């Protein structure tokens, strides 16, 4: 089993190996203590090929689920940086089975480039018998069919800093060197308490564990709201990696985390600052045009059977608010800095109508 929303957590079979009666697979969510593991495959694709993987156009394939917030970071970064022609994209079915991410959205249930039915096949090609979870985002080396990396924390930073030779003209600097210390500090707090905090709450196996996570989530959201009350973006006056990482949680919050994960002190739509900030980013090219609410809702409510055994997917919330005015431009800021907006979504990568407001 993998963390069915992306980055690897303790494998269900591993975690319960000593208890034959413990729930397995997707049914284990919410039945055991939640722990997110470090990425096992942490090789980097760099300009100097220090790990043996050089930045090279058309060599690698990015595998994502549009349901997954960790993979969604890579989707946004790839769009903003204009890497569509250099780094091809595979989108998995939002509904997993216990072999994890599968390519059942593609003809014959196989990825047309990699020729595999399950992402786990690329993991096996890299390390036979790997016991951990199969996670997205993942980058696969097309010639060998081997997984290169599933390091969700480093992957997007490398897209921003190591893939610069393949960026589009006018690509923004998402990780500007003078601001990196501040960006890292902001991202760390958001990761611990918000990005990962909603999972600690949603998959908590006990009341006290849940309450600690719940308090962390909303304490941090209040701090972020205060920070954003007087500035358009989290760090500096342009979009950075920090905004991408916060956005991918905020855009899922009311649809799944508020109810499914019991993070219900308030909705993002009920905080005027967070709501306007999230709408501002959603309406920015490269953000909302990568978001598929249909994939998001069906994945969380149908896969996490330990949390939602009926697999009933709620009809709400109303998504129309994502397209209403946000007025954040009144705070100034330059979304792309000295760069420009990305162009239209690549043909074949559009989010279907069912996933859009």
């Amino acid at each position: 089993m993998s963390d069915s929303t992306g980055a690897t957590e303790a494998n269900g079979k591993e975690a319960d190996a000593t208890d034959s009666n413990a729930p397995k697979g997707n049914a284990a969510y919410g039945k055991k203590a939640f722990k997110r593991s470090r990425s096992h495959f942490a090789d980097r694709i760099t300009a100097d090929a220090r790990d043996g993987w050089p930045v090279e156009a058309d060599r690698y394939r990015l595998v994502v689920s549009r349901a997954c917030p960790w993979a969604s970071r890579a989707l946004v970064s790839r769009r903003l940086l204009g890497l569509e022609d250099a780094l091809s994209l595979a989108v998995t079915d939002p509904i997993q089975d216990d072999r994890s991410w599968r390519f059942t959205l593609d003809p014959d249930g196989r990825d047309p480039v990699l020729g595999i039915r399950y992402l786990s096949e690329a993991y096996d090609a890299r390390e036979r018998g790997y016991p951990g979870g199969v996670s997205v985002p993942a980058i696969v080396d097309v010639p060998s069919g081997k997984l290169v990396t599933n390091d969700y924390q480093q992957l997007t930073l490398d897209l921003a800093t190591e893939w610069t030779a393949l960026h589009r003209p006018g690509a923004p600097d998402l990780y500007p060197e003078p601001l990196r210390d501040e960006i890292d500090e902001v991202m760390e707090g958001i990761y611990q308490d918000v990005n990962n905090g909603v999972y600690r709450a949603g998959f908590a196996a006990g009341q006290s564990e849940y309450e600690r996570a719940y308090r962390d989530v909303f304490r941090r959201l209040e701090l972020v709201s205060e920070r954003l009350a007087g500035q358009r973006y989290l760090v500096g006056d342009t979009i950075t990696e920090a905004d991408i990482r916060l956005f991918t949680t905020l855009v899922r919050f009311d649809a799944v985390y508020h109810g499914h994960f019991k993070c219900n002190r308030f909705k993002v739509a009920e905080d005027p600052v967070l709501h306007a900030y999230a709408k501002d980013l959603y309406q920015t090219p490269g953000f909302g045009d990568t978001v598929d609410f249909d994939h998001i809702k069906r994945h969380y409510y149908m896969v996490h059977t330990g949390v939602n055994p009926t697999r009933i997917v709620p009809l709400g919330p109303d998504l129309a608010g994502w397209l209403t005015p946000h007025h954040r431009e009144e705070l100034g800021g330059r979304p792309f800095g000295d760069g420009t907006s990305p162009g239209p979504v690549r043909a074949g990568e559009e989010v279907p109508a069912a996933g859009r407001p």
Side-chain angles (χ1 to χ4, degrees), residues 222-277:
E222 288 179 337
L223 290 172
V224 169
S225 181
E226 291 173 7
R227 182 183 187 93
L228 290 168
Q231 61 190 64
R232 191 171 180 183
Y233 303 112
L234 282 169
V235 182
D237 66 348
T238 66
I239 291 167
T240 68
E241 175 79 12
D243 298 293
I244 296 172
R245 296 190 182 195
L246 178 58
F247 171 79
T248 57
T249 296
L250 293 184
V251 79
R252 288 162 173 77
F253 200 92
D254 293 0
V256 290
Y257 302 146
H258 181 271
H260 183 58
F261 278 179
K262 305 178 186 69
C263 293
N264 58 0
R265 180 177 168 191
F266 58 77
K267 296 178 180 177
V268 167
E270 294 168 348
D271 183 295
V273 173
L274 291 178
H275 194 210
Y277 168 80

Coordinates of all heavy atoms in Angstrom, one line a residue, residues 222-277:
E222 N -4.3 30.0 10.7 CA -4.5 31.3 11.2 C -3.3 32.2 11.0 O -3.4 33.4 10.6 CB -5.0 31.3 12.6 CG -6.4 30.7 12.8 CD -6.8 30.6 14.3 OE1 -5.9 30.5 15.1 OE2 -8.0 30.7 14.6
L223 N -2.1 31.6 11.2 CA -0.9 32.3 11.1 C -0.7 32.7 9.6 O -0.2 33.8 9.3 CB 0.3 31.5 11.5 CG 0.4 31.3 13.1 CD1 1.5 30.3 13.4 CD2 0.7 32.6 13.8
V224 N -1.0 31.8 8.7 CA -0.8 32.0 7.3 C -1.8 33.1 6.8 O -1.5 34.0 6.0 CB -1.0 30.7 6.5 CG1 -1.2 31.0 5.0 CG2 0.1 29.8 6.7
S225 N -3.0 33.1 7.4 CA -4.0 34.1 7.0 C -3.5 35.5 7.5 O -3.7 36.5 6.7 CB -5.3 33.7 7.7 OG -6.3 34.7 7.3
E226 N -3.0 35.6 8.7 CA -2.4 36.8 9.1 C -1.3 37.3 8.2 O -1.2 38.5 7.9 CB -1.9 36.7 10.6 CG -3.0 36.5 11.6 CD -2.4 36.2 13.0 OE1 -1.2 36.3 13.1 OE2 -3.2 35.8 13.9
R227 N -0.4 36.4 7.8 CA 0.7 36.8 6.9 C 0.2 37.3 5.6 O 0.7 38.3 5.1 CB 1.6 35.5 6.7 CG 2.8 35.8 5.9 CD 3.6 34.5 5.6 NE 4.9 34.7 5.0 CZ 6.0 34.9 5.6 NH1 6.1 34.9 6.9 NH2 7.1 35.2 4.9
L228 N -0.9 36.7 5.1 CA -1.3 37.0 3.7 C -2.3 38.2 3.7 O -2.7 38.7 2.7 CB -2.0 35.8 3.1 CG -1.1 34.7 2.7 CD1 -1.9 33.4 2.4 CD2 -0.2 35.1 1.5
A229 N -2.7 38.7 4.9 CA -3.6 39.8 5.0 C -3.1 41.1 4.3 O -3.8 41.9 3.8 CB -4.0 40.1 6.4
G230 N -1.8 41.2 4.4 CA -1.2 42.4 3.8 C -0.2 42.2 2.7 O 0.4 43.2 2.2
Q231 N -0.1 41.0 2.2 CA 0.8 40.8 1.0 C 0.1 39.7 0.2 O -0.6 38.8 0.7 CB 2.1 40.3 1.5 CG 2.2 39.0 2.3 CD 3.6 38.8 2.9 OE1 4.0 39.6 3.8 NE2 4.2 37.7 2.5
R232 N 0.3 39.8 -1.1 CA -0.4 38.9 -2.1 C 0.1 37.5 -2.0 O -0.6 36.6 -2.2 CB -0.3 39.5 -3.5 CG -1.2 38.8 -4.5 CD -1.2 39.6 -5.8 NE -2.1 39.0 -6.8 CZ -2.2 39.4 -8.0 NH1 -1.6 40.5 -8.4 NH2 -3.0 38.7 -8.9
Y233 N 1.5 37.3 -1.8 CA 2.1 36.0 -1.9 C 2.8 35.8 -0.6 O 3.1 36.7 0.2 CB 3.0 35.9 -3.1 CG 2.2 36.1 -4.4 CD1 2.5 37.3 -5.2 CD2 1.2 35.3 -4.8 CE1 1.8 37.5 -6.3 CE2 0.5 35.5 -6.0 CZ 0.8 36.7 -6.7 OH 0.1 36.9 -7.9
L234 N 3.2 34.5 -0.4 CA 3.8 34.1 0.9 C 5.1 34.8 1.2 O 5.4 35.2 2.3 CB 3.9 32.6 1.0 CG 2.6 31.9 1.4 CD1 2.7 30.4 1.2 CD2 2.1 32.2 2.8
V235 N 6.0 34.8 0.1 CA 7.3 35.3 0.3 C 7.6 36.2 -0.9 O 7.5 35.8 -2.1 CB 8.4 34.2 0.3 CG1 9.8 34.8 0.5 CG2 8.1 33.2 1.5
G236 N 8.0 37.5 -0.6 CA 8.3 38.4 -1.7 C 7.0 38.8 -2.4 O 5.9 38.7 -1.9
D237 N 7.1 39.4 -3.6 CA 5.9 39.9 -4.3 C 5.6 39.1 -5.6 O 4.9 39.6 -6.5 CB 6.1 41.4 -4.7 CG 7.2 41.6 -5.7 OD1 8.0 40.7 -6.0 OD2 7.3 42.7 -6.2
T238 N 6.2 37.9 -5.7 CA 5.9 37.0 -6.8 C 5.5 35.6 -6.3 O 5.8 35.2 -5.1 CB 7.1 36.9 -7.7 OG1 8.1 36.2 -7.1 CG2 7.5 38.3 -8.2
I239 N 5.0 34.8 -7.2 CA 4.7 33.4 -6.9 C 6.0 32.6 -6.7 O 6.9 32.7 -7.5 CB 3.9 32.8 -8.0 CG1 2.4 33.4 -8.0 CG2 3.8 31.2 -7.8 CD1 1.7 33.0 -9.3
T240 N 6.1 31.9 -5.6 CA 7.2 31.0 -5.4 C 6.7 29.6 -5.0 O 5.5 29.3 -5.0 CB 8.1 31.5 -4.2 OG1 7.4 31.4 -3.0 CG2 8.5 33.0 -4.4
E241 N 7.7 28.7 -4.9 CA 7.4 27.3 -4.5 C 6.6 27.3 -3.2 O 5.7 26.4 -3.1 CB 8.8 26.6 -4.2 CG 8.6 25.2 -3.7 CD 8.3 24.2 -4.8 OE1 8.4 24.5 -6.0 OE2 8.0 23.0 -4.4
A242 N 6.7 28.2 -2.3 CA 5.9 28.2 -1.1 C 4.4 28.3 -1.4 O 3.6 27.6 -0.8 CB 6.3 29.3 -0.2
D243 N 4.1 29.2 -2.4 CA 2.7 29.3 -2.8 C 2.1 28.1 -3.4 O 0.9 27.7 -3.2 CB 2.5 30.5 -3.7 CG 2.9 31.8 -3.1 OD1 2.2 32.3 -2.2 OD2 3.9 32.4 -3.5
I244 N 2.9 27.4 -4.2 CA 2.5 26.2 -4.9 C 2.1 25.1 -3.8 O 1.1 24.5 -3.9 CB 3.6 25.7 -5.8 CG1 3.8 26.6 -7.0 CG2 3.2 24.3 -6.4 CD1 5.0 26.3 -7.9
R245 N 3.0 25.0 -2.8 CA 2.8 24.0 -1.8 C 1.6 24.3 -0.9 O 0.9 23.3 -0.5 CB 4.0 23.8 -1.0 CG 5.2 23.3 -1.8 CD 6.4 22.9 -1.0 NE 7.5 22.5 -1.8 CZ 8.6 21.8 -1.4 NH1 8.7 21.6 -0.1 NH2 9.5 21.5 -2.2
L246 N 1.3 25.5 -0.6 CA 0.1 25.8 0.2 C -1.1 25.7 -0.7 O -2.2 25.1 -0.2 CB 0.2 27.3 0.7 CG -1.0 27.7 1.5 CD1 -1.3 26.8 2.7 CD2 -0.8 29.2 2.0
F247 N -1.1 26.1 -1.9 CA -2.3 26.0 -2.8 C -2.8 24.6 -2.9 O -4.0 24.4 -2.9 CB -1.9 26.6 -4.2 CG -3.0 26.4 -5.2 CD1 -4.1 27.2 -5.2 CD2 -2.9 25.3 -6.1 CE1 -5.1 27.0 -6.1 CE2 -3.9 25.1 -7.0 CZ -5.0 25.9 -7.1
T248 N -1.9 23.6 -3.1 CA -2.4 22.3 -3.4 C -3.2 21.7 -2.2 O -4.0 20.8 -2.4 CB -1.3 21.4 -3.8 OG1 -0.3 21.3 -2.8 CG2 -0.7 21.8 -5.1
T249 N -2.9 22.2 -1.0 CA -3.8 21.8 0.2 C -5.0 22.6 0.2 O -6.1 22.1 0.5 CB -3.0 21.9 1.5 OG1 -1.9 21.0 1.4 CG2 -3.8 21.6 2.7
L250 N -4.9 23.9 0.1 CA -6.1 24.8 0.2 C -7.2 24.4 -0.8 O -8.4 24.5 -0.5 CB -5.7 26.3 0.0 CG -4.8 26.9 1.1 CD1 -4.6 28.4 0.8 CD2 -5.4 26.7 2.5
V251 N -6.7 24.1 -2.1 CA -7.7 23.8 -3.1 C -8.5 22.5 -2.8 O -9.6 22.4 -3.3 CB -7.1 23.8 -4.5 CG1 -6.4 22.4 -4.7 CG2 -8.0 24.1 -5.6
R252 N -8.0 21.7 -2.0 CA -8.7 20.4 -1.6 C -9.4 20.5 -0.3 O -10.1 19.6 0.1 CB -7.6 19.3 -1.5 CG -7.1 18.8 -2.8 CD -5.8 18.0 -2.7 NE -5.4 17.5 -4.0 CZ -4.9 18.2 -5.0 NH1 -4.6 19.5 -4.8 NH2 -4.6 17.6 -6.2
F253 N -9.2 21.6 0.4 CA -9.6 21.7 1.8 C -11.1 21.5 2.0 O -11.6 20.6 2.7 CB -9.1 23.0 2.5 CG -9.1 22.9 4.0 CD1 -7.9 22.5 4.6 CD2 -10.2 23.2 4.7 CE1 -7.9 22.4 6.0 CE2 -10.2 23.1 6.1 CZ -9.0 22.7 6.8
D254 N -11.9 22.4 1.3 CA -13.3 22.3 1.6 C -14.0 21.1 0.9 O -15.0 20.5 1.4 CB -14.0 23.6 1.0 CG -13.6 24.8 1.8 OD1 -12.8 24.7 2.7 OD2 -14.1 25.9 1.4
A255 N -13.4 20.6 -0.2 CA -13.9 19.4 -0.9 C -13.7 18.1 -0.2 O -14.6 17.2 -0.2 CB -13.3 19.4 -2.3
V256 N -12.6 18.0 0.5 CA -12.3 16.7 1.2 C -11.8 16.8 2.6 O -12.2 16.0 3.5 CB -11.3 15.8 0.3 CG1 -12.0 15.4 -0.9 CG2 -10.0 16.6 0.0
Y257 N -10.9 17.7 2.9 CA -10.3 17.7 4.2 C -11.2 18.2 5.3 O -11.2 17.7 6.4 CB -9.0 18.6 4.2 CG -8.0 18.2 3.3 CD1 -7.1 19.1 2.6 CD2 -7.7 16.9 3.0 CE1 -6.2 18.8 1.7 CE2 -6.8 16.5 2.0 CZ -6.0 17.4 1.4 OH -5.0 17.1 0.5
H258 N -12.1 19.1 5.0 CA -13.1 19.6 6.0 C -14.0 18.5 6.5 O -14.2 18.4 7.7 CB -13.9 20.7 5.4 CG -14.9 21.3 6.3 ND1 -16.2 20.9 6.5 CD2 -14.8 22.4 7.2 CE1 -16.8 21.6 7.4 NE2 -16.0 22.5 7.8
G259 N -14.5 17.7 5.6 CA -15.4 16.6 6.0 C -14.8 15.3 6.2 O -14.8 14.7 7.3
H260 N -14.1 14.8 5.1 CA -13.6 13.5 5.1 C -12.5 13.3 6.2 O -12.4 12.3 6.8 CB -13.0 13.2 3.7 CG -12.4 11.9 3.5 ND1 -13.1 10.7 3.7 CD2 -11.2 11.5 3.1 CE1 -12.4 9.7 3.4 NE2 -11.2 10.1 3.0
F261 N -11.6 14.4 6.3 CA -10.5 14.3 7.3 C -10.9 15.0 8.6 O -10.0 15.2 9.5 CB -9.3 14.9 6.7 CG -8.5 14.0 5.8 CD1 -7.3 14.4 5.2 CD2 -8.9 12.7 5.6 CE1 -6.6 13.6 4.4 CE2 -8.1 11.8 4.8 CZ -7.0 12.3 4.2
K262 N -12.1 15.4 8.8 CA -12.6 16.0 10.0 C -11.9 17.3 10.4 O -11.8 17.6 11.6 CB -12.5 15.0 11.2 CG -13.2 13.7 10.9 CD -13.1 12.7 12.0 CE -13.7 11.3 11.7 NZ -12.9 10.6 10.7
C263 N -11.4 18.0 9.5 CA -10.7 19.3 9.7 C -11.8 20.4 9.6 O -11.8 21.2 8.6 CB -9.5 19.5 8.8 SG -8.2 18.4 9.0
N264 N -12.7 20.4 10.5 CA -13.9 21.2 10.3 C -14.1 22.4 11.2 O -15.3 22.8 11.5 CB -15.1 20.2 10.5 CG -15.2 19.5 11.8 OD1 -14.3 19.7 12.7 ND2 -16.2 18.7 12.0
R265 N -13.0 23.0 11.7 CA -13.2 24.2 12.5 C -13.8 25.3 11.6 O -14.6 26.1 12.1 CB -11.9 24.6 13.1 CG -12.0 25.9 14.0 CD -10.7 26.2 14.6 NE -10.7 27.5 15.2 CZ -9.6 28.1 15.7 NH1 -8.4 27.5 15.6 NH2 -9.6 29.3 16.1
F266 N -13.2 25.4 10.4 CA -13.8 26.3 9.5 C -13.4 25.9 8.1 O -12.4 25.1 7.9 CB -13.4 27.8 9.7 CG -11.9 28.1 9.7 CD1 -11.2 28.2 8.5 CD2 -11.2 28.3 10.9 CE1 -9.8 28.4 8.5 CE2 -9.9 28.6 10.9 CZ -9.1 28.6 9.7
K267 N -14.1 26.3 7.1 CA -13.7 26.1 5.7 C -12.8 27.2 5.2 O -12.9 28.3 5.7 CB -15.0 26.0 4.8 CG -15.9 24.8 5.1 CD -17.1 24.9 4.2 CE -18.1 23.7 4.6 NZ -19.3 23.8 3.8
V268 N -12.1 26.9 4.2 CA -11.3 28.0 3.5 C -12.2 29.1 3.0 O -11.9 30.3 3.2 CB -10.4 27.4 2.4 CG1 -9.9 28.5 1.5 CG2 -9.3 26.5 2.9
A269 N -13.4 28.7 2.5 CA -14.3 29.7 2.0 C -14.8 30.6 3.1 O -15.4 31.6 2.8 CB -15.5 29.0 1.4
E270 N -14.6 30.2 4.4 CA -15.1 31.0 5.5 C -14.0 32.0 6.1 O -14.3 32.8 7.0 CB -15.6 30.1 6.6 CG -16.9 29.3 6.2 CD -17.3 28.2 7.1 OE1 -16.4 27.9 8.0 OE2 -18.4 27.7 7.0
D271 N -12.8 31.9 5.5 CA -11.8 32.8 5.9 C -11.5 33.7 4.7 O -11.0 33.3 3.7 CB -10.5 32.0 6.2 CG -9.3 32.9 6.7 OD1 -8.9 33.8 5.9 OD2 -8.9 32.8 7.9
P272 N -11.9 35.0 4.8 CA -11.9 35.9 3.7 C -10.5 36.0 3.0 O -10.4 36.0 1.8 CB -12.3 37.2 4.2 CG -13.1 36.9 5.4 CD -12.5 35.7 6.0
V273 N -9.4 36.0 3.9 CA -8.1 36.1 3.3 C -7.6 34.8 2.6 O -7.2 34.9 1.4 CB -7.1 36.5 4.4 CG1 -5.6 36.4 3.9 CG2 -7.4 37.8 5.0
L274 N -7.8 33.7 3.2 CA -7.4 32.5 2.6 C -8.2 32.2 1.4 O -7.6 31.7 0.4 CB -7.5 31.3 3.6 CG -6.5 31.3 4.8 CD1 -6.8 30.1 5.7 CD2 -5.1 31.2 4.3
H275 N -9.5 32.5 1.4 CA -10.3 32.2 0.3 C -9.9 33.1 -0.9 O -9.8 32.6 -2.0 CB -11.8 32.5 0.7 CG -12.8 31.9 -0.3 ND1 -14.0 32.5 -0.6 CD2 -12.7 30.9 -1.2 CE1 -14.7 31.8 -1.5 NE2 -13.9 30.8 -1.9
A276 N -9.7 34.3 -0.7 CA -9.3 35.2 -1.8 C -7.9 34.8 -2.3 O -7.7 34.8 -3.6 CB -9.3 36.7 -1.3
Y277 N -7.0 34.5 -1.4 CA -5.7 34.0 -1.9 C -5.8 32.8 -2.7 O -5.1 32.7 -3.8 CB -4.8 33.8 -0.6 CG -3.5 33.0 -0.9 CD1 -2.4 33.7 -1.3 CD2 -3.4 31.7 -0.6 CE1 -1.2 33.0 -1.5 CE2 -2.2 31.0 -0.8 CZ -1.1 31.7 -1.2 OH 0.1 31.0 -1.4

